[in-house]
Amino acid sequence: MRPTPALAVALAAMMLVSMTIGAASVDLVHAFGDPRTMLVLLESRLPRTLAVALTGAALAVAGVLIQALVRNRFVGPDTAGTAEGAALGLLAITILWPASPLWLRMVAASVSAMATTALFIAIIRRLPVREVMLVPIAGLVLSGVLGSVVTFIGWQTDLMQYIGTWLFSGEFSGVISGRYELLWIAGGAAVLAWFAADRFAIIGLGDQVATGLGLGTRAVLRLGLAVVAVVTAMVVTTVGMIPFVGLVVPNIVARIMGDNLRRTLPVVALSGAVLVMACDLAGRLVIHPYEVPAGLILGGVGSVLFLWLLYRRPRHG
Amino acid sequence: MDKRGLSILLALAACLLLCAGLWMFQGLGGGNRGFILSLRASKLAALVVVAFAIGVSTVLFQTVAANRVLTPSIMGFDALYVLLQTLLVASLGTAGFASLPPGPKFMAEIALMTAMASLLFGVLLLKGSRDLPRMILTGVILGVLFRALSSFVGRILDPNAYAVVQSVSFASFNKVQPGLLPFAAAITALACLAAWRLAPRLDVLALGRDPAVSLGLRHRGTVLQVLALIAVLVSVSTALVGPVSFFGLIVAGLAHGLMRSTRHAALLPAAALSGAILLVGGQWLFERVLDQGATLSVVVEFAGGLFFLYLLLRGHIR
Amino acid sequence: MIRIDGVSHRIGKAPILHDITTHLPEGRLTALIGPNGAGKSTLLRLIGRLEPLQQGRVSVAGRDIAATPTEDLARVMAILGQQTSIASRLRLSELVGFGRWPHHRGRPTAHDHARVAEALEAFALTPMADRFLDEVSGGQAQRAHIAMAFAQDTDWLLLDEPLNNLDMAHARALMGRLRDLVDRQGRSVGLVVHEINYAAAWADHVIAMKDGRIVAEGSANEVLTEDVLSDLYDAPIAVASHQGRPLVLHHV
Ligand SMILES: Nc1ncnc2c1ncn2[C@@H]1O[C@H](COP(=O)(O)OP(=O)(O)OP(=O)(O)O)[C@@H](O)[C@H]1O
Ligand SMILES: [Mg+2]
């Protein structure tokens, strides 16, 4: 069975379900005749469903990129200091210029996320031992350190409630039309990555190979960083961090389909969307009519998947 | 112990006394002295208990894991404690949980935690030691999983349970429940004593599994004993102040740096004392001088995290 | 005597040792030889209870290793594994000092200190006794590990490739010292060697292993023949004689 159509069908089905679940029950068949139902659909359900799909897809693609950039399968945008970097940038601009326009905040978040991710890459390039598992550990600790800076500043400036929505398990319950559109930028960045897919695949093979093939590694590195940072910054500011998507989805896809990014990126994006969608649906159904944040569900599901990846036997040997 | 080691320990003890004196008597004012003193004394006791628990448990953990950059909470010990507590709240209900007497409840939690941690981390350490980095990553991810499960259970139960979970999920040196203190102090004292008595065997354990076995150490049994002690100490410190990931790292690093020895008879007291100095002195500085009582835990975590990255970059992880 | 009775071992699903029955004679120097991956280290680790026995029995000087408390075994045999990595950062004197631990369990006496000094001296380590393990050369560190096993002062000494990293002179000195232990003090030694001529020159008893099985055992003259060796290493090997002992011409 080819993965792309199957995933697309699964995603479409879940999106339909997502449209119907919620406090007010919606009958899709008769919705077009009923302006009130239509309003619920267009103002709340559709935006939420789109937000979930966009987030999942974009984060999964960002995961592929950062894994190619650091050449390590056990990192993701949530374990490389990126999310905390975005929060730090937001915090800085909020404090320095409280009335700043939205676009400026997004730029600040993205730039700052890019800086911290670059810091992460600089750190792991200096790790003395070439030890695969040290890279994620360094990333987790760096995230922790940056997170404590964010928390500290948040405390000092009474901005803790914002920080809570950025860094703690992300959720989609607040998404309505007009408050999720930034995620389209994240989606756009992910599409951009697809156009440069071959370059990232080559970068993933190593600096020497890349240089041998005549590829300027710095430019690709910068492009990759930019995509990862923009995606993460948009997600963090709109719905809060969703853990593990960028970590496990690329691993699973690479295990089944290999590392030819031009072929795999669409599958990665679809799988990410499916995974987050499933977790969001689960979060909405498990204690209906209340909700459990999708980020929380992913924390559980994702860590189990991750442990499985860690302990599965390699296919050969 | 050699002269140098002994004199450093004495100096540390004197320094701790000094900090304690400052903490107790500085800026007493004229008002209700007895009340203020008893308040200060109970907080001092809490800080010292926590510092001893964290310092000793970290040194012990670094010894069983044969690694100088780990702490029990990096490996998810305290997350496990929080999860167990959440499950307790979940099965007893918030009201039932609150109505239990704190002492016996605490003991039961510790017993449960010891059993679970010995099982889980025993398997991890005894089976996984061939591939150290993978073992560490497993612990870290287990921690994430435990935290997610705690929040999840808290969420689906009821908001009150969630509040209980939240309150034990963040570190703060300012929220010690006085009711727990006597139990915590007694248990910590016993556990530290047990660790001290294990010291010669810990020296051998620190060599690594193969050399320890060939020297006739009962490796498995010793590892499990040490894990049980760690579980007890982590339970105490988490119950009192919440999860503190990196503080132990600083303390153990200090102990190694000061004593320049691998003898546990020297390392354990050094870690406990320097931890207590840092906490009592730090709390005095932040609360009385800088007027920022709540931020010590954040600062400690920050410094500890940086220290971890530094150790990593220096190639100390092995 | 060390008796090995029907020992089989597997790692995961892969069989490593197949039903091995043999012995290491008492008061002799026994050499284990064989190609890489033959299972020599695994066998030695099983004897030294570094690896739990899965099947079969091993007894050392009449004591079943599965039934004897490990602290008692540590006073009967000392084992040095092939990977000699020590987790903590130790001075050479401290490392060698740990060799006495089975005897004093944490409270060293003057006698223990004397034995440590003796072991350091025996392996020419006294001048660097206060240096850390990571501040000496590979061969010096290897000698320190051997000195630690030596200080353990046991009837049986099991060494896995002790000649690793040693220069010619120290390698010969070590073999001479082991010979001396056997001849004058009545100890017994088992060791894995790759340089077959050390086995030829110094060993009383040779056990040849391949693919987890024993292919030949006996005196050096019986085992180190052209037929056995060519078969063992899958390469034609000529054997000459030197002072009544075999001399293997594997390098030409
Ligand atoms: N941890 C392990 N996991 C899987 N296989 C192993 C492991 N250790 C050893 N083996 C396998 O067991 C077999 C025997 O290994 P052993 O170390 O006993 O060989 P050896 O004879 O000592 O070799 P060498 O001369 O290279 O030291 C080898 O085929 C090896 O690949
Ligand atoms: Mg070997």
Side-chain angles (χ1 to χ4, degrees):
Chain A
M1 188 178 60
R2 287 165 30 102
T4 320
L7 283 167
V9 170
L11 181 62
M14 281 197 274
M15 285 175 83
L16 278 182
V17 176
S18 162
M19 299 281 281
T20 56
I21 297 178
S25 68
V26 167
D27 183 351
L28 282 184
V29 184
H30 301 110
F32 289 97
D34 180 1
R36 268 207 40 204
T37 317
M38 212 50 205
L39 191 71
V40 171
L41 271 182
L42 289 183
E43 288 297 307
S44 157
R45 299 288 164 75
L46 184 64
R48 175 171 192 159
T49 307
L50 288 174
V52 172
L54 279 172
T55 304
L59 279 178
V61 170
V64 171
L65 295 193
I66 191 149
Q67 288 177 8
L69 294 183
V70 303
R71 288 180 211 115
N72 186 302
R73 289 226 180 275
F74 295 115
V75 293
D78 49 327
T79 61
T82 318
E84 286 76 10
L88 209 55
L90 275 178
L91 205 54
I93 192 100
T94 311
I95 294 167
L96 294 177
W97 187 9
S100 53
L102 185 66
W103 65 266
L104 192 62
R105 290 174 181 237
M106 293 308 116
V107 170
S110 304
V111 169
S112 160
M114 214 168 142
T116 51
T117 316
L119 176 68
F120 168 66
I121 292 183
I123 287 180
I124 61 157
R125 295 236 155 140
R126 273 177 194 71
L127 277 184
V129 254
R130 282 248 149 257
E131 187 64 82
V132 200
M133 305 286 174
L134 283 189
V135 173
I137 294 168
L140 285 162
V141 174
L142 179 67
S143 303
V145 169
L146 291 171
S148 77
V149 174
V150 173
T151 317
F152 181 72
I153 300 178
W155 243 334
Q156 296 293 317
T157 52
D158 274 332
L159 290 172
M160 264 321 268
Q161 80 198 76
Y162 290 100
I163 292 166
T165 61
W166 297 331
L167 287 190
F168 305 136
S169 47
E171 58 180 324
F172 296 93
S173 58
V175 172
I176 48 169
S177 91
R179 291 195 30 201
Y180 84 103
E181 281 73 4
L182 284 171
L183 288 171
W184 286 108
I185 302 180
V191 172
L192 191 67
W194 186 73
F195 284 108
D198 291 340
R199 285 156 202 260
F200 290 117
I202 293 174
I203 278 279
L205 299 177
D207 277 347
Q208 283 183 10
V209 179
T211 313
L213 292 173
L215 188 68
T217 52
R218 291 195 158 272
V220 185
L221 188 69
R222 250 179 266 134
L223 175 64
L225 271 180
V227 172
V228 172
V230 166
V231 166
T232 313
M234 297 309 138
V235 170
V236 163
T237 43
T238 27
V239 294
M241 200 54 213
I242 309 284
F244 282 114
V245 188
L247 197 61
V248 294
V249 170
N251 271 294
I252 295 171
V253 173
R255 185 166 152 67
I256 297 167
M257 296 185 60
D259 274 328
N260 181 355
L261 295 189
R262 188 174 290 286
R263 223 158 57 83
T264 59
L265 268 186
V267 181
V268 167
L270 276 174
S271 317
V274 166
L275 179 62
V276 179
M277 198 61 137
C279 289
D280 186 55
L281 284 179
R284 285 150 81 180
L285 289 174
V286 90
I287 45 168
H288 190 78
Y290 302 107
E291 283 197 17
V292 178
L296 194 56
I297 305 242
L298 259 167
V301 175
S303 44
V304 171
L305 276 175
F306 188 83
L307 287 178
W308 172 74
L309 285 170
L310 207 55
Y311 280 90
R312 74 185 161 80
R313 279 169 194 284
R315 261 200 205 170
H316 310 285
Chain B
M1 202 179 312
D2 57 346
K3 269 225 182 77
R4 184 178 164 279
L6 209 58
S7 47
I8 292 181
L9 283 185
L10 285 177
L12 284 176
C15 193
L16 177 57
L17 275 181
L18 191 76
C19 290
L22 258 180
W23 169 262
M24 288 298 292
F25 301 112
Q26 184 259 339
L28 252 186
N32 193 345
R33 285 184 168 226
F35 177 71
I36 295 180
L37 274 179
S38 78
L39 214 63
R40 287 185 176 185
S42 86
K43 190 150 176 193
L44 174 69
L47 288 175
V48 171
V49 166
V50 167
F52 272 54
I54 292 177
V56 170
S57 65
T58 307
V59 171
L60 290 179
F61 190 74
Q62 295 187 346
T63 296
V64 274
N67 181 288
R68 290 265 292 273
V69 300
L70 291 182
T71 69
S73 58
I74 293 178
M75 296 288 292
F77 264 77
D78 50 8
L80 177 61
Y81 179 79
V82 172
L83 176 61
L84 288 177
Q85 206 166 31
T86 315
L87 291 177
L88 274 182
V89 179
S91 49
L92 300 175
T94 326
F97 186 75
S99 68
L100 290 176
K105 186 172 71 182
F106 189 41
M107 299 289 181
E109 280 171 15
I110 288 182
L112 192 61
M113 166 76 180
T114 309
M116 284 296 295
S118 307
L119 197 75
L120 195 62
F121 293 97
V123 170
L124 200 56
L125 284 171
L126 291 170
K127 298 259 174 231
S129 52
R130 275 179 206 282
D131 188 350
L132 182 75
R134 183 167 76 168
M135 181 196 87
I136 301 174
L137 198 56
T138 308
V140 172
I141 299 296
L142 280 179
V144 176
L145 177 62
F146 294 153
R147 274 183 272 275
L149 285 179
S150 308
S151 313
F152 182 73
V153 172
R155 284 269 178 151
I156 59 172
L157 282 172
D158 67 295
N160 294 329
Y162 189 60
V164 175
V165 177
Q166 285 283 300
S167 77
V168 286
S169 303
F170 294 98
S172 159
F173 295 122
N174 284 322
K175 63 174 185 198
V176 176
Q177 302 169 29
L180 284 186
L181 202 51
F183 295 98
I187 293 170
T188 306
L190 283 179
C192 289
L193 198 70
W196 167 268
R197 295 200 30 139
L198 276 178
R201 269 181 272 170
L202 292 171
D203 295 344
V204 176
L205 190 63
L207 297 176
R209 181 182 173 274
D210 279 7
V213 172
S214 64
L215 290 175
L217 185 81
R218 290 168 186 250
H219 182 259
R220 230 185 128 73
T222 314
V223 166
L224 289 177
Q225 262 179 61
V226 174
L227 279 176
L229 285 180
I230 296 170
V232 168
L233 291 169
V234 171
S235 307
V236 170
S237 78
T238 314
L240 289 181
V241 298
V244 196
S245 320
F246 293 117
F247 178 59
L249 199 64
I250 302 182
V251 173
L254 263 179
H256 279 287
L258 284 173
M259 304 313 290
R260 289 201 229 129
S261 153
T262 44
R263 306 257 332 260
H264 285 76
L267 285 176
L268 291 171
L273 288 174
S274 46
I277 292 172
L278 281 185
L279 277 197
V280 177
Q283 190 68 24
W284 173 78
L285 184 74
F286 276 83
E287 193 174 315
R288 307 271 177 75
V289 182
L290 304 176
D291 202 19
Q292 297 270 332
T295 51
L296 179 64
S297 58
V298 183
V299 173
V300 159
E301 288 301 275
F302 178 66
L306 285 186
F307 185 56
F308 182 94
L309 286 178
Y310 164 79
L311 287 178
L312 216 58
L313 286 177
R314 286 277 306 273
H316 276 303
I317 190 164
R318 254 196 317 129
Chain C
M1 187 158 70
I2 292 182
R3 295 197 142 279
I4 298 155
D5 243 329
V7 166
S8 301
H9 194 77
R10 28 181 83 232
I11 297 179
K13 290 208 179 87
I16 307 289
L17 296 178
H18 307 269
D19 191 21
I20 292 202
T21 300
T22 183
H23 71 283
L24 278 67
E26 182 112 23
R28 294 275 184 279
L29 201 161
T30 303
L32 270 166
I33 63 169
N36 289 144
K40 310 176 294 291
S41 300
T42 308
L43 183 60
L44 210 67
R45 289 173 61 81
L46 285 170
I47 300 173
R49 48 90 171 87
L50 296 182
E51 214 75 61
L53 267 180
Q54 295 171 348
Q55 201 183 324
R57 274 168 44 108
V58 173
S59 68
V60 178
R63 296 173 177 82
D64 186 337
I65 61 160
T68 312
T70 176
E71 51 266 43
D72 294 349
L73 284 176
R75 289 189 295 266
V76 179
M77 68 174 163
I79 175 164
L80 176 64
Q82 184 173 8
Q83 255 87 38
T84 50
S85 73
I86 290 284
S88 36
R89 188 161 187 267
L90 293 176
R91 294 185 169 81
L92 297 196
S93 56
E94 291 170 331
L95 177 72
V96 177
F98 274 112
R100 299 300 303 165
W101 198 81
H103 301 279
H104 62 64
R105 310 276 300 175
R107 290 167 208 278
T109 61
H111 174 66
D112 293 312
H113 291 303
R115 297 312 294 256
V116 172
E118 215 173 282
L120 284 168
E121 189 61 43
F123 290 89
L125 295 167
T126 315
M128 58 201 95
D130 278 338
R131 283 207 242 155
F132 284 103
L133 215 46
D134 52 8
E135 293 170 349
V136 296
S137 78
Q140 290 162 344
Q142 175 74 5
R143 268 150 55 202
H145 281 102
I146 301 169
M148 171 179 166
F150 191 78
Q152 210 170 324
D153 213 3
T154 50
D155 284 344
W156 277 93
L157 197 55
L158 304 174
L159 306 169
D160 195 346
E161 300 194 25
L163 303 179
N164 270 354
N165 293 324
L166 296 193
D167 65 35
M168 246 184 318
H170 277 113
R172 189 167 61 183
L174 172 64
M175 293 310 288
R177 196 166 298 288
L178 294 176
R179 196 64 253 174
D180 189 71
L181 276 181
V182 171
D183 292 343
R184 301 228 181 133
Q185 303 188 26
R187 312 279 179 99
S188 317
V189 175
L191 77 167
V192 177
V193 274
H194 273 304
E195 173 45 80
I196 214 112
N197 279 317
Y198 282 99
W202 301 96
D204 304 307
H205 189 81
V206 178
I207 299 178
M209 291 183 69
K210 185 179 186 179
D211 295 336
R213 293 191 172 84
I214 290 179
V215 291
E217 53 189 320
S219 71
N221 275 320
E222 288 162 13
V223 176
L224 302 179
T225 62
E226 298 196 346
D227 288 349
V228 172
L229 291 180
S230 304
D231 213 33
L232 189 62
Y233 292 101
D234 290 325
I237 291 172
V239 178
S241 175
H242 176 69
Q243 295 182 351
R245 285 185 155 265
L247 176 66
V248 183
L249 305 170
H250 56 75
H251 51 289
V252 286

